[in-house]
Amino acid sequence: MVYSTGGSMASASASQLRSLFAHILVYSEVSNPLALWEKHWEMMSDDIPLRAAASLKMPKLHINKDDLHNYVLYEVEILLNQCGRTLGDFALPSLPDDLLLDLANRLIMEERNYDRESLNEELSHLESKMNVKQRRIYELIRDSSSNNRTELLFVYGHGGTGKTFLWKAIITCLRAKGKIVLAVASSSITSLLLPLGRTAHSRFKLPIDLTDESMCNINKNTQMAKLLESTDLIVWDEAPMNNNRCFEALDRSLRDILGKKNSPFGGKSMILGGDFKQTLPFHKKGKKSTIVRSYITSSYLWQEFKVFVLTENMRLMQPWLTPSEKERNSAFSAWLLDIENGEVGTRDLEDPVNSNWVKIPNTYCVPDDDDGLANLISFIYPPETLQNPSATELQQKAIVFPKNDAADTINKMVVDMVGGHVTTYASYDTATPQGNDGGESELLYPT
């Protein structure tokens, strides 16, 4: 900081300015200390983000203006205390009770580490693209957050109806206001689609071997417990993939941690979303009845949720699509929905109740010959895309296979087509074996 002293220029660091401010208060007669503080406090804050990031071992830290104000105020109070004075002696604002706990809590600071100005710019873009049903849900959550009202919602919609888009808009809106939103999903792949998303098991410390009495491995008076107390909303994507015991374990834990035994999820707002026609809870050698009983709809919690349904396919609204592409995509989307609803195909004679034989139209097929995989890759990833890849374009494309072996084969072919140096990154999280299933856990959840 540079300032003038009788015609000459001098400089001082933020910490020196704080010291100067404290000494002015103590040893000079300031007629209006609050006005002096409000005019100059931001000049005393330059070093705070770097110091806070270093203490929390974070590479970079965005501190919102309110927290930054309180942080500088705390530093000034320390200086005043050394002179036997307090903030109250000069009619300066008092510090929030939990300020130091929050600033020392890495988990909380990570969830507040956002550039609010950028988020507000992004939010304006997202709001302009919402359809009527999305906006209704968005405004319900936005208003409930502003009014400290609890909402439990389940948003149902088939692929392409904009569930992930809606999550992003809601998360961006609340984080732009300094609220804490925990974004989780049932699988690591899905969690990557959420802004700073995590898997539900990782975020909430859910046990793998769940029972009717299970609780999250979170103790009271810990940083994680404090994070949950400070959380405004939980967004849980692909919820139908999880056993209902996951939600019940979180419910019991939140009621216990927050001390609200009679409030579902301890009074925290939650949005669950997904499609019951997609992947459902997995049970080793489980019967259909066992799987159905594990749905969240079979849980005592289900009656607490309001259900909303998204139906409009947002993928057909992309502005860069030509009329013929929109028509083709619309027909493909309708065909997929007909399969989901059991309206396409002929009954399997061996299992007529549960299974249909579906003939895939040739227009949706890649010819099954020696060059089939190469043709598929070239169709999804043209040579110009692989030679000059961009994150924006690659995010719009995917090749999905039901088995890892096929996916590995295609990945190798794509890497060979791209050329250049290859670097492989393995995930850090690993599954903890339960009982004697160490080999099975390693097989199902590889590094």
Side-chain angles (χ1 to χ4, degrees):
M1 179 59 59
V2 179
Y3 59 95
S4 174
T5 56
S8 61
M9 302 301 291
S11 63
S13 66
S15 62
Q16 290 172 328
L17 289 176
R18 291 193 294 270
S19 179
L20 175 62
F21 178 77
H23 278 76
I24 289 175
L25 293 182
V26 173
Y27 299 111
S28 302
E29 300 222 356
V30 181
S31 60
N32 192 339
L34 181 59
L36 184 66
W37 163 259
E38 290 178 343
K39 183 177 180 180
H40 297 292
W41 76 264
E42 289 186 75
M43 297 182 183
M44 311 178 215
S45 67
D46 288 354
D47 62 333
I48 297 297
L50 287 175
R51 289 175 52 209
S55 66
L56 294 170
K57 297 181 179 179
M58 297 170 62
K60 188 177 181 181
L61 187 62
H62 289 283
I63 302 180
N64 67 68
K65 193 169 183 178
D66 291 340
D67 285 342
L68 187 61
H69 173 275
N70 290 330
Y71 212 136
V72 179
L73 199 61
Y74 167 70
E75 296 285 343
V76 171
E77 183 179 54
I78 293 176
L79 295 169
L80 292 175
N81 290 163
Q82 294 172 357
C83 300
R85 308 298 292 275
T86 67
L87 294 171
D89 294 340
F90 304 98
L92 293 177
S94 58
L95 291 169
D97 294 336
D98 295 334
L99 172 67
L100 294 184
L101 290 176
D102 286 354
L103 292 175
N105 190 326
R106 178 188 174 98
L107 298 179
I108 287 180
M109 296 308 291
E110 283 179 341
E111 292 299 328
R112 287 180 174 165
N113 190 22
Y114 308 109
D115 183 344
R116 292 195 192 178
E117 185 176 338
S118 298
L119 289 177
N120 278 310
E121 291 177 2
E122 183 180 5
L123 182 61
S124 299
H125 176 68
L126 294 171
E127 286 181 333
S128 67
K129 291 188 172 183
M130 289 182 189
N131 59 41
V132 174
K133 292 185 177 180
Q134 289 171 333
R135 185 170 293 278
R136 180 186 175 193
I137 299 168
Y138 168 80
E139 292 178 348
L140 177 62
I141 292 297
R142 184 192 61 190
D143 295 343
S144 69
S145 175
S146 299
N147 299 317
N148 294 319
R149 186 180 73 247
T150 300
E151 291 288 355
L152 300 177
L153 310 183
F154 185 95
V155 180
Y156 173 81
H158 60 79
T161 52
K163 296 187 295 297
T164 302
F165 171 84
L166 178 61
W167 309 152
K168 187 174 183 180
I170 291 172
I171 292 168
T172 301
C173 174
L174 268 59
R175 286 177 175 169
K177 296 178 180 180
K179 305 284 188 178
I180 292 181
V181 183
L182 300 185
V184 302
S186 302
S187 66
S188 57
I189 295 298
T190 307
S191 70
L192 295 176
L193 302 177
L194 300 173
L196 289 182
R198 296 268 295 273
T199 63
H201 279 78
S202 171
R203 169 56 78 192
F204 300 126
K205 315 297 182 186
L206 289 165
I208 293 179
D209 190 13
L210 291 160
T211 68
D212 290 334
E213 290 78 35
S214 291
M215 295 182 68
C216 302
N217 187 25
I218 302 172
N219 296 323
K220 289 184 177 180
N221 302 318
T222 60
Q223 288 197 356
M224 185 61 201
K226 181 63 179 175
L227 173 64
L228 292 174
E229 291 175 15
S230 304
T231 294
D232 197 69
L233 174 69
I234 296 172
V235 176
W236 194 322
D237 196 15
E238 301 294 3
M241 289 179 63
N242 284 105
N243 191 302
N244 57 32
R245 288 173 171 173
C246 292
F247 308 101
E248 293 172 2
L250 179 60
D251 172 53
R252 283 188 288 270
S253 297
L254 288 176
R255 293 186 195 225
D256 178 58
I257 292 170
L258 303 178
K260 297 183 178 180
K261 302 294 185 183
N262 299 319
S263 300
F265 298 103
K268 293 296 178 183
S269 292
M270 178 176 289
I271 305 178
L272 307 181
D275 183 358
F276 286 103
K277 294 176 182 176
Q278 296 183 13
T279 306
L280 298 172
F282 172 77
H283 289 270
K284 185 178 179 180
K285 299 182 179 179
K287 297 180 179 179
K288 181 178 179 180
S289 58
T290 303
I291 297 175
V292 171
R293 284 197 302 271
S294 69
Y295 290 179
I296 187 176
T297 52
S298 301
S299 171
Y300 64 84
L301 293 166
W302 182 247
Q303 62 184 355
E304 307 290 346
F305 283 84
K306 300 175 185 176
V307 179
F308 293 82
V309 181
L310 300 178
T311 56
E312 186 175 345
N313 195 321
M314 293 187 69
R315 292 174 185 164
L316 303 180
M317 303 295 107
Q318 304 298 345
W320 57 80
L321 294 178
T322 64
S324 62
E325 288 175 329
K326 288 184 178 181
E327 182 178 355
R328 183 183 64 192
N329 290 350
S330 178
F332 181 64
S333 175
W335 179 70
L336 287 179
L337 286 177
D338 287 341
I339 292 177
E340 288 186 7
N341 296 324
E343 298 174 2
V344 171
T346 57
R347 296 293 181 186
D348 183 355
L349 297 179
E350 297 182 1
D351 186 13
V353 176
N354 299 306
S355 302
N356 278 11
W357 284 100
V358 176
K359 179 176 176 57
I360 301 177
N362 290 334
T363 185
Y364 301 146
C365 295
V366 174
D368 184 16
D369 54 31
D370 293 341
D371 298 322
L373 284 180
N375 293 335
L376 172 64
I377 294 170
S378 297
F379 178 74
I380 303 297
Y381 300 105
E384 57 271 21
T385 297
L386 294 181
Q387 297 307 319
N388 298 289
S390 67
T392 301
E393 186 172 6
L394 293 178
Q395 286 173 351
Q396 308 297 326
K397 302 170 179 289
I399 299 176
V400 182
F401 268 78
K403 294 188 177 182
N404 289 338
D405 288 345
D408 291 341
T409 299
I410 289 184
N411 284 338
K412 185 178 184 307
M413 291 179 67
V414 171
V415 169
D416 290 341
M417 294 168 69
V418 171
H421 179 69
V422 176
T423 302
T424 301
Y425 296 90
S427 62
Y428 178 79
D429 290 342
T430 56
T432 303
Q434 301 292 309
N436 297 318
D437 70 343
E440 183 175 351
S441 292
E442 185 176 349
L443 179 65
L444 290 176
Y445 307 103
T447 301

